Amino acid sequence: MLSLKKRGALSMQISNFARGFFDSSSPLVPVALPSQRETHIWYIVPDEVQNTSLLNQYLKLLSSCERESMFRMSGDKLQKSSLLARTLVRTTLSRYTNCQITPRSFKFRKNTFGKPEIEWGHYEEWSPPALHFNVSHTSSLIACGVTVDKLVGVDVEEKQRKIKNDILSFARRYFSLHEVEHLHAILDPEIQRQEFIKLWTLKEAYVKALGRGFSAAPFKTFTIRFRATRSDGLQVPTDLISEASEILVEAFDDPKSLSNNWQFGLLELANSHYAAICMEKENILEGKGNDFMKLKVWKTLPFVEDEYVSGTNAVKIICGLSQCLHL
Amino acid sequence: MATVYATSVKFASSLKHSVGDYKLTGRTSTLRLVSMNWTKNGFPSLRSSRFRVCCAAKPETVQKVCDIVRKQLALSPESALTPESKFSDLGADSLDTVEIVMGLEEEFGINVEEDSSQNITTVQEAADLIEKLVQKKSEA
């Protein structure tokens, strides 16, 4: 299926037919680093990756540890997903080093809390950028967020995801009182389910940004709040996330560590998923206006094609973000 | 016995070195290493982290946990599910794990603390924790 896309000089348009016969080893396109208030998202759609020789090419990028993890997964689909997730991380990060560090040569370690981070080597005439990244997967989409200098957490969920338990029971068990009230106020079960998923992704993104693991920030110990700016400039709480201009977090045991440290963005990705991004915020002087997180999004099939999708239907901002429409 | 030990070490290293030839065939590799210890008498004793003398959960509990996991993760009837199966290897994300824990709480009438739910990564761990909590509840 062909459609008009924006593309860099080095990426190619290849029909599905030709892909089977083509040694798809076009080099990775390097990308400029995100600026201070910017998050970059790269995503891949597993169902669109069928070419076995391409998958075997990706397999060569993984460390032996990653390969072992991958083969422990139960079944072809999960193994492929694991392979694509590691491929996405390695190829994405390589782009931000101007491809000087190849995808295969990246090393990773876990921080004291278990969050994966890059372990840079020693380079003679080059200082590695202070890259932060976070990956999220669903069976139908894998996303990797990248920032410079700022902690970041990303979570994606299928819009259509069905919750097996009763939503309000689940929320009462795991969410804050404020969030339960927020969901309880929604009468339409389908909208309630959607708001639940959005809340879940926001909470997950926060925990992942903190990087201390689920047990260090149980969901009940913090709440997500939404604020809208009225036409008279006053900021008021609001019931629907879509009307909010700002998403905030409040940690109950540490009320000072509020929204001041973290900012959130929420979007619809590829028409199929909700994606939440949580990023560390710079210290902002009192009185400065709402500067939303800037966002750039690419859809990728590494070594084959990259598509900058910001400003297209693939990216629909819900809240808290401004898009860079041009690269 | 020493031969067994040598074979298991060789197997592990050959797995790592042949990884360049690894092709995607849909094969899952499982490698279990059992550590052999030489006792004072010179006879090897078998020591495995899976060896439990007591405190293992009842088979019915394990079965119920398996059923809940199967349902939550929509596993096909053919997919292998053993007590040692890790939820993450079965494709469970954090929302699935929380839903599984909630399903278990409802099925067994227990309450799992959030920090304990972090430690539930396999069917066996879930079953063991359930039995512990059910017993605590009956003693209360």
Side-chain angles (χ1 to χ4, degrees):
Chain A
M1 207 171 300
L2 306 177
S3 56
L4 283 176
K5 298 162 190 171
K6 293 182 203 167
R7 69 184 67 89
L10 291 178
S11 70
M12 284 168 269
Q13 173 105 30
I14 304 168
S15 71
N16 283 326
F17 179 81
R19 261 183 196 140
F21 301 92
F22 194 85
D23 177 22
S24 32
S25 55
S26 61
L28 283 178
V29 179
V31 174
L33 291 170
S35 66
Q36 283 300 312
R37 295 194 71 112
E38 207 167 85
T39 299
H40 289 184
I41 300 276
W42 291 76
Y43 73 90
I44 195 169
V45 178
D47 286 341
E48 292 177 6
V49 190
Q50 300 292 345
N51 185 310
T52 326
S53 68
L54 184 62
L55 290 170
N56 279 309
Q57 190 183 344
Y58 293 161
L59 191 56
K60 296 196 180 89
L61 303 178
L62 270 51
S63 68
S64 55
C65 200
E66 287 167 341
R67 265 182 283 229
E68 282 168 23
S69 283
M70 174 199 149
F71 284 112
R72 274 203 301 270
M73 303 292 287
S74 169
D76 288 348
K77 199 162 179 236
L78 290 176
Q79 288 184 10
K80 182 171 138 187
S81 180
S82 172
L83 169 62
L84 292 177
R86 297 317 302 165
T87 302
L88 181 65
V89 172
R90 285 175 172 275
T91 55
T92 301
L93 294 175
S94 178
R95 299 172 197 273
Y96 293 102
T97 67
N98 206 21
C99 301
Q100 284 186 76
I101 311 293
T102 64
R104 178 66 187 88
S105 43
F106 272 91
K107 286 197 178 19
F108 299 94
R109 63 171 177 231
K110 302 221 165 125
N111 71 5
T112 20
F113 305 110
K115 183 175 182 181
E117 54 184 34
I118 303 166
E119 188 176 323
W120 295 106
H122 300 286
Y123 312 101
E124 265 185 23
E125 280 159 25
W126 180 71
S127 275
L131 290 174
H132 290 265
F133 72 94
N134 195 235
V135 190
S136 176
H137 19 148
T138 65
S139 56
S140 47
L141 188 145
I142 305 169
C144 179
V146 180
T147 55
V148 165
D149 268 339
K150 301 285 187 290
L151 293 176
V152 67
V154 174
D155 191 56
V156 293
E157 291 296 342
E158 286 175 1
K159 276 165 63 175
Q160 295 306 316
R161 182 173 186 151
K162 296 285 178 274
I163 308 302
K164 306 285 192 299
N165 294 283
D166 170 65
I167 285 176
L168 287 179
S169 308
F170 188 104
R172 274 184 216 110
R173 177 73 184 79
Y174 291 105
F175 285 7
S176 71
L177 187 58
H178 173 80
E179 290 160 350
V180 173
E181 284 167 3
H182 168 87
L183 289 171
H184 187 70
I186 301 166
L187 298 174
D188 182 319
E190 176 55 18
I191 302 201
Q192 191 189 64
R193 190 192 59 79
Q194 288 171 8
E195 293 291 295
F196 171 86
I197 308 248
K198 290 173 190 171
L199 258 185
W200 176 274
T201 58
L202 288 163
K203 289 175 85 79
E204 265 289 284
Y206 172 66
V207 171
K208 292 176 81 180
L210 280 177
R212 284 189 241 140
F214 196 74
S215 60
F219 273 18
K220 259 200 195 296
T221 64
F222 65 94
T223 191
I224 300 286
R225 290 182 182 280
F226 313 104
R227 229 163 39 183
T229 307
R230 279 194 336 205
S231 48
D232 59 3
L234 196 67
Q235 292 189 319
V236 290
T238 181
D239 279 340
L240 281 179
I241 302 178
S242 49
E243 289 169 5
S245 59
E246 219 186 335
I247 303 171
L248 311 152
V249 67
E250 182 186 317
F252 297 134
D253 55 357
D254 188 8
K256 289 222 180 64
S257 80
L258 277 201
S259 42
N260 290 329
N261 287 347
W262 301 100
Q263 60 179 169
F264 291 83
L266 188 65
L267 63 146
E268 279 186 36
L269 199 53
N271 290 312
S272 52
H273 287 70
Y274 292 125
I277 308 167
C278 176
M279 188 169 92
E280 228 180 334
K281 215 156 125 175
E282 329 178 327
N283 287 328
I284 297 182
L285 299 167
E286 286 295 345
K288 209 172 171 197
N290 273 335
D291 275 338
F292 287 152
M293 202 191 305
K294 292 207 214 67
L295 178 69
K296 287 184 180 168
V297 186
W298 287 261
K299 179 177 170 178
T300 179
L301 188 54
F303 305 116
V304 177
E305 189 172 49
D306 305 325
E307 196 188 331
Y308 185 65
V309 295
S310 289
T312 71
N313 280 332
V315 180
K316 292 194 193 114
I317 306 288
I318 299 173
C319 180
L321 295 162
S322 69
Q323 286 201 78
C324 302
L325 296 178
H326 306 286
L327 264 179
Chain B
M1 289 303 169
T3 326
V4 175
Y5 186 67
T7 309
S8 62
V9 169
K10 191 174 152 204
F11 190 23
S13 61
S14 72
L15 179 70
K16 281 191 154 82
H17 291 310
S18 69
V19 103
D21 304 324
Y22 240 123
K23 293 283 189 240
L24 283 176
T25 55
R27 197 176 76 212
T28 18
S29 75
T30 45
L31 181 66
R32 289 234 174 93
L33 287 179
V34 175
S35 65
M36 304 284 274
N37 275 330
W38 293 96
T39 65
K40 285 202 197 114
N41 296 338
F43 292 108
S45 65
L46 189 70
R47 195 174 61 166
S48 156
S49 60
R50 310 235 185 283
F51 195 69
R52 279 195 200 81
V53 178
C54 61
C55 312
K58 294 197 283 286
E60 309 94 74
T61 309
V62 174
Q63 188 54 53
K64 275 192 189 165
V65 175
C66 282
D67 291 342
I68 289 172
V69 171
R70 260 190 200 284
K71 202 170 130 202
Q72 177 64 35
L73 302 181
L75 299 177
S76 63
E78 311 90 61
S79 50
L81 181 56
T82 73
E84 273 75 45
S85 299
K86 281 188 106 177
F87 296 155
S88 54
D89 291 345
L90 296 167
D93 61 15
S94 48
L95 182 49
D96 288 313
T97 308
V98 173
E99 289 223 80
I100 289 169
V101 170
M102 198 164 159
L104 297 175
E105 287 181 331
E106 282 178 4
E107 173 71 27
F108 294 96
I110 49 170
N111 208 293
V112 178
E113 289 305 306
E114 262 180 287
D115 48 7
S116 312
S117 68
Q118 266 277 87
N119 297 328
I120 299 179
T121 61
T122 67
V123 169
Q124 188 66 55
E125 284 170 3
D128 292 345
L129 182 62
I130 289 163
E131 297 246 319
K132 206 168 91 178
L133 293 172
V134 167
Q135 180 156 35
K136 240 202 228 168
K137 197 178 145 195
S138 65
E139 281 166 6

